[in-house]
Amino acid sequence: MTPGRPRVEGDWLLVPAPQPHRPFRLFCFPHAGGDATAYAPLAHALAPLAEVWALRMPARGGRGRHPMPATFDQLVRTVVAELGPHLDGPFGFYGQSLGALLAFETARALPPGRRPRLLVTASAQPPSAWIGGRPQHRDAEELLRLAGMGELVSADPELREIALHAIQTDLDVRHTYRYRPAPPIESDLHAVVGDADPMLGAGLLDDWAQHTSGTFGLTVVPGGHLLATVEQRGPAELLTSLITRGPARPPEPVDPRGPARGGDPTCPIDLDHLHDLDRLHDLDRTDRLNRTDRLDQPDLRRQKEQQWSAPRSI
């Protein structure tokens, strides 16, 4: 079956290759400075088995004027609220680098029975290693270089500025992250890393196992730090095998007082249990700005932002 034309769901989600049926839905979380467009090749590689829904992060590309939530807790809460209506049927999360941390905390924030069947964390240390929001101290310039994108933007100072701004925006939010121990999630969890990753190796990923009561796996694949980009589809074969093999155990019983995974997708998720340290009115204000800031006439800088977020996001 031929995928449909790409479509946007609200402000936060891009479906690069819509499927005419209802397959497994894979929500993808970008790396620092990255955007949803990085997952277009992966979306086509997984069709028709799975339909990719990629997170559109603020402060870049088509959302260049939309503010990023001020803290990591607020970001998680916002993502949970945006994904809530779309968590019907079987689904999983895939995130790479900072996106893996966001995917994990989003899964953990969802109530039991509405968590992903599968969580794949790529190119990221376990959350307990992110002391003060950073497993290692790296600034935006260094991340741009280690991701192999420094030379691509060196000839265009404005494009380089846009790239560094997107990365720094994500780093500022990341630095507010504080890991809080909690019971492991029931989702199957699989960690993956590139064999040429200059930032970490497979030996640093074993501790991901303690964060799941389901099946844990670890795979090394060819590649550097960024596995899925607009130029490469990433670990499509691994994801295909993980999706097709199905859950390794019966699903956890669902609390009758809460919505079931296959229930009414419009039923709201109870957010009261989330560990948000900030006042809700700040999030409400951010959400209103995100939904009302629509630009009909893109200027030259916005065109550059879109240029960065498409072929050169990291």
Side-chain angles (χ1 to χ4, degrees):
M1 298 182 182
T2 303
R5 295 176 61 84
R7 75 172 190 270
V8 172
E9 292 282 344
D11 288 330
W12 282 83
L13 293 163
L14 169 70
V15 187
Q19 303 300 307
H21 59 302
R22 177 62 177 86
F24 185 93
R25 189 169 285 172
L26 185 67
F27 293 91
C28 293
F29 297 69
H31 40 269
D35 200 8
T37 51
Y39 288 113
L42 179 63
H44 286 276
L46 294 179
L49 172 67
E51 184 179 62
V52 166
W53 288 51
L55 207 63
R56 300 176 67 228
M57 298 295 285
R60 73 213 61 198
R63 301 194 64 202
R65 302 286 181 87
H66 291 189
M68 175 70 76
T71 69
F72 199 91
D73 282 336
Q74 286 188 350
L75 177 59
V76 170
R77 180 181 288 273
T78 303
V79 171
V80 168
E82 293 293 331
L83 296 189
H86 309 292
L87 302 183
D88 57 313
F91 69 93
F93 287 174
Y94 172 87
Q96 55 187 20
S97 195
L98 178 62
L101 181 67
L102 181 57
F104 168 75
E105 289 294 350
T106 300
R108 194 162 70 151
L110 289 166
R114 296 207 73 190
R115 288 173 176 159
R117 195 195 83 194
L118 171 68
L119 170 62
V120 179
T121 60
S123 311
Q125 290 191 47
S128 54
W130 295 70
I131 305 301
R134 58 182 78 181
Q136 299 178 29
H137 178 69
R138 302 187 190 279
D139 59 19
E141 289 274 2
E142 188 176 10
L143 286 176
L144 190 68
R145 177 182 61 80
L146 290 172
M149 299 293 178
E151 293 184 2
L152 292 177
V153 297
S154 60
D156 190 331
E158 187 173 11
L159 188 59
R160 182 178 182 82
E161 178 190 349
I162 291 168
L164 291 174
H165 173 73
I167 298 171
Q168 190 61 55
T169 297
D170 291 352
L171 293 184
D172 289 344
V173 175
R174 185 189 76 177
H175 293 163
T176 69
Y177 174 75
R178 297 296 182 270
Y179 170 66
R180 301 174 180 86
I185 61 175
E186 68 275 11
S187 308
D188 290 338
L189 196 156
H190 201 98
V192 59
V193 65
D195 58 2
D197 191 330
M199 300 189 197
L200 71 162
L204 297 174
L205 306 183
D206 291 337
D207 284 348
W208 273 111
Q210 66 180 306
H211 297 289
T212 177
S213 59
T215 299
F216 173 74
L218 172 59
T219 300
V220 179
V221 298
H225 185 64
L226 300 184
L227 301 178
T229 70
V230 294
E231 297 174 343
Q232 54 194 27
R233 62 186 189 176
E237 291 79 8
L238 172 64
L239 289 168
T240 296
S241 67
L242 294 173
I243 292 170
T244 54
R245 79 183 184 189
R249 68 205 173 284
E252 183 167 314
V254 176
D255 186 338
R257 298 170 297 177
R261 177 180 298 175
D264 182 359
T266 65
C267 188
I269 292 175
D270 181 6
L271 302 178
D272 290 342
H273 68 291
L274 297 185
H275 45 258
D276 192 340
L277 302 181
D278 303 282
R279 295 186 61 83
L280 292 182
H281 73 267
D282 291 334
L283 175 61
D284 292 339
R285 178 177 178 274
T286 298
D287 192 57
R288 286 197 301 272
L289 289 171
N290 283 348
R291 293 185 180 279
T292 57
D293 182 13
R294 309 288 187 178
L295 298 178
D296 297 326
Q297 301 295 329
D299 56 18
L300 179 61
R301 181 174 179 84
R302 188 177 179 219
Q303 291 174 4
K304 293 244 183 201
E305 289 172 347
Q306 292 173 328
Q307 179 185 0
W308 162 253
S309 69
R312 297 171 181 173
S313 54
I314 74 163

